[in-house]
């Protein structure tokens, strides 16, 4: 069996284990964690007055993306100063807030950069439970039927330095999270039923900038990362892929054992989720001298470098938005609004176009189209093809830091202050 077939089988088995369906958007970047939605018949035109089924103001400040299960939409939020951290649940059909509860009170919040928020990690949800983390300040599990808090953790130490950003994922009975701070860098797996630690693995590269005397002088950004982990089936085995500061790691998901790593010490603060397909793994390396790496998924040695990549590029490599793989094509949008379409196998550029605006949100692929949503509220729909073709440009709200979710015939989009359900009239999900 070819590796690509094994990967597809793995994705399908993960979907079966978690009960995902086309109407559920359970985690950052959707059912398979890759930005793909199975929906059809979504609108291509919208505005403040067109194809908006509902809009609901969300108090506080948070960049965490919406997650959806059944008739519930969940988002995290926080006060501007980070002292109060909340979970909010909306009715998917009406936008009515059905649950809004403070989960954590933080007496002395860590610093968060003005570009970040105190509620930036996206929750992960499954039948009956939602898991919400704010990084080191607290992680909680909530019963989605009774809204009872089932367990909490506030004892995980990590100086996020610029604020937390990595989102949790579920694999079998594990809740897996990256913690890459200025003081500690590790990957953590909790028992999702109890919240107790199952394993914790320290990063094998602990970078410290040294002064002329060989003493550590600058931690902070050079030890930071905001990336969300990802589990893929490679050669019939599950592999946990995780981008840290200075390296990209692969672990055994059930034990945390490191399998291999790609070292790239010129970058830091990686913020994207890896993308896997076509026998390959794709990931941007992070800030400073950011690059886009494409590598074979079937790794044969313990430590790799840029020389082991199939192809790399520094051109328009994104720092914050994740990549999107559609068939043989790899799409990206960099932070300054330049979109690129690559041949996934070779790195050949089919097109490179300035969409305009600034971008933090990751793109989504729906029914042949890619949605790019900017920090200025511009929503651009582009055909997922070798030829650059803009299908529609729409303006909405006060800008998008969070990535879109898709459920039924609708986009669910969180702006800086609002939640929107965007649905064409007459196409409401039954």
């Amino acid at each position: 069996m070819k590796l690509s077939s094994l990967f597809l089988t793995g994705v399908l088995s993960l979907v079966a284990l978690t009960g995902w369906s086309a109407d559920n958007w359970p985690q950052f970047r959707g059912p398979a964690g890759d930005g793909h939605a199975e929906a059809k018949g979504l609108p291509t035109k919208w505005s403040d007055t067109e194809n908006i089924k509902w809009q609901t103001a969300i108090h506080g400040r948070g960049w965490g993306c919406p997650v959806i299960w059944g008739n519930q939409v969940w988002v995290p939020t926080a006060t501007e100063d980070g002292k109060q951290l909340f979970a909010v649940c909306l009715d998917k059909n009406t936008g009515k807030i059905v649950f809004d509860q403070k989960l954590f009170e933080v007496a002395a919040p860590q610093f968060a950069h003005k570009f970040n928020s105190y509620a930036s990690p996206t929750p992960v949800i499954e039948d009956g439970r939602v898991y919400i983390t704010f990084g080191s300040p607290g992680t909680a599990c909530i019963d989605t039927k009774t809204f009872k808090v089932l367990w909490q953790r506030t004892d995980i130490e990590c100086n996020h330095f610029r604020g937390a950003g990595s989102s949790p994922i579920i694999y079998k009975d594990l809740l897996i999270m990256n913690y890459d701070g200025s003081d500690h860098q590790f990957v953590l797996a909790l028992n999702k039923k109890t919240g107790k630690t199952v394993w914790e693995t320290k990063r094998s590269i602990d970078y410290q900038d040294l002064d002329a005397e060989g003493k550590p002088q600058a931690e902070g950004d050079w030890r930071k990362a905001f990336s969300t982990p990802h589990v893929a089936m490679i050669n019939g085995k599950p592999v946990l892929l995780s981008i840290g500061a200075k390296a990209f790691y692969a672990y055994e998901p059930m034990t945390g054992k490191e399998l291999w790593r790609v070292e790239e010490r010129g970058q830091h603060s990686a913020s994207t989720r890896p993308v896997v397909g076509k026998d390959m793994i794709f990931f941007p390396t992070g800030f400073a001298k950011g690059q886009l790496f494409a590598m074979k998924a079937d790794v044969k040695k313990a430590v790799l470098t840029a020389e082991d990549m199939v192809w790399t590029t520094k051109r328009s490599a994104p720092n914050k938005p994740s990549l999107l793989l559609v068939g043989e094509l790899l799409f990206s949008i960099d932070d300054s609004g330049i979109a690129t379409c690559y041949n996934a196998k070779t790195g050949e550029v089919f097109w490179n176009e300035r969409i305009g605006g600034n971008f933090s949100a990751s793109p989504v692929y729906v029914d042949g189209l890619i949605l790019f949503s900017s920090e200025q509220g511009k929503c651009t729909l582009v055909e997922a093809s070798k030829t650059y073709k803009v299908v529609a440009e729409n303006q909405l709200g006060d800008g998008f830091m969070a990535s879109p979710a898709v459920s039924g015939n609708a986009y669910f989009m969180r702006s800086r202050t609002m939640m929107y359900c965007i649905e064409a009239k007459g196409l409401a999900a039954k």
Side-chain angles (χ1 to χ4, degrees):
M1 182 180 287
K2 293 182 179 180
L3 182 60
S4 55
S5 298
L6 286 170
F7 171 72
L8 177 60
T9 301
V11 169
L12 293 175
S13 66
L14 290 174
V15 170
L17 280 171
T18 54
W20 293 339
S21 76
D23 285 338
N24 295 331
W25 193 266
Q27 59 178 327
F28 176 55
R29 307 215 73 203
D34 58 2
H36 284 240
E38 298 299 323
K40 295 184 182 298
L42 275 74
T44 58
K45 290 286 188 179
W46 59 83
S47 67
D48 290 324
T49 58
E50 182 182 10
N51 286 331
I52 302 297
K53 182 178 180 181
W54 55 257
Q55 60 184 49
T56 302
I58 305 296
H59 68 88
R61 189 169 188 259
W63 306 156
C65 311
V67 293
I68 301 169
W69 196 279
N71 289 323
Q72 294 183 342
V73 180
W74 288 81
V75 290
T77 192
T79 52
E80 290 271 354
D81 60 8
K83 291 186 176 181
Q84 296 180 326
L85 309 176
F86 297 82
V88 178
C89 177
L90 302 90
D91 183 285
K92 188 180 78 169
N93 295 313
T94 66
K96 179 183 178 181
I97 293 177
V98 295
F99 177 80
D100 184 355
Q101 181 172 314
K102 180 174 65 178
L103 296 179
F104 301 101
E105 184 89 30
V106 184
Q110 297 179 9
F111 170 78
H113 192 277
K114 62 181 180 180
F115 190 79
N116 203 353
S117 77
Y118 284 97
S120 290
T122 297
V124 60
I125 191 169
E126 61 182 353
D127 188 24
R129 291 188 170 199
V130 63
Y131 308 86
I132 299 178
T133 188
F134 302 90
S136 182
T139 299
C141 171
I142 301 172
D143 186 307
T144 57
K145 295 178 175 63
T146 66
F147 297 119
K148 177 183 178 181
V149 176
L150 301 178
W151 56 259
Q152 291 182 325
R153 289 287 298 268
T154 58
D155 61 327
I156 302 169
E157 295 185 7
C158 179
N159 181 2
H160 295 288
F161 194 69
R162 302 293 189 188
S166 176
S167 302
I169 64 170
I170 294 172
Y171 178 71
K172 294 187 176 181
D173 285 335
L174 299 179
L175 182 71
I176 301 174
M177 297 178 283
N178 290 344
Y179 284 86
D180 292 288
S182 63
D183 52 352
H184 305 291
Q185 305 87 42
F186 58 94
V187 184
L188 181 69
L190 307 181
N191 183 311
K192 70 178 185 180
K193 297 178 181 178
T194 65
K196 294 182 178 180
T197 299
V198 176
W199 58 258
E200 178 181 324
T201 299
K202 293 182 179 180
R203 300 292 198 188
S204 54
I205 292 182
D206 183 3
Y207 177 86
Q208 295 188 31
D209 196 12
L210 304 180
D211 61 18
E213 299 178 354
K215 297 179 180 179
Q217 62 173 355
E219 296 180 350
D221 284 326
W222 295 97
R223 307 179 80 194
K224 268 295 305 165
F226 303 87
S227 180
T228 296
H230 186 77
V231 176
M233 295 295 289
I234 298 174
N235 280 344
K237 296 181 180 180
V239 178
L240 173 63
L241 304 172
S242 175
I243 312 176
K246 305 300 180 184
F248 172 49
Y249 300 86
Y251 304 98
E252 289 182 351
M254 296 305 296
T255 66
K257 177 185 176 182
E258 184 179 315
L259 300 174
W260 49 261
R261 67 177 183 266
V262 180
E263 296 186 2
E264 182 44 59
R265 302 192 179 217
Q267 280 75 56
H268 64 82
S269 301
S271 304
T272 68
R273 187 170 186 173
V275 172
V276 184
K278 299 301 174 185
D279 307 344
M280 296 175 69
I281 303 170
F282 307 91
F283 62 99
T285 57
F287 286 82
K289 301 176 181 179
Q291 300 183 68
L292 195 164
F293 279 10
M295 61 179 288
K296 285 290 186 182
D298 190 12
V299 176
K300 300 297 186 183
K301 58 182 183 179
V303 180
L304 299 88
T305 66
E307 295 179 353
D308 298 298
M309 302 297 102
V310 176
W311 58 269
T312 68
T313 183
K314 297 180 180 179
R315 182 181 182 181
S316 304
N319 293 320
K320 297 188 293 295
S322 295
L323 304 169
L324 188 64
L325 181 66
V326 182
E328 301 287 345
L329 304 179
L330 182 70
F331 297 90
S332 73
I333 181 86
D334 75 4
D335 302 36
S336 64
I338 298 176
T340 308
C341 173
Y342 302 91
N343 181 318
K345 287 286 188 181
T346 67
E348 176 189 359
V349 174
F350 292 122
W351 51 260
N352 181 253
E353 301 285 345
R354 181 175 293 280
I355 288 180
N358 303 106
F359 285 79
S360 290
S362 298
V364 295
Y365 170 75
V366 188
D367 197 15
L369 301 178
I370 299 171
L371 171 60
F372 298 105
S373 47
S374 81
E375 294 169 15
Q376 290 74 36
K378 182 181 177 182
C379 303
T380 305
L381 287 161
V382 175
E383 284 190 357
S385 69
K386 293 181 181 180
T387 303
Y388 180 69
K389 181 178 180 181
V390 175
V391 174
E393 293 180 345
N394 306 304
Q395 187 68 35
L396 181 66
D398 53 1
F400 299 99
M401 306 297 289
S403 304
V406 179
S407 178
N409 300 109
Y411 290 108
F412 292 81
M413 300 183 69
R414 181 184 191 174
S415 75
R416 285 180 169 87
T417 58
M418 305 287 289
M419 266 298 308
Y420 295 94
C421 175
I422 303 169
E423 183 177 82
K425 293 181 179 179
L427 291 177
K430 301 299 182 183

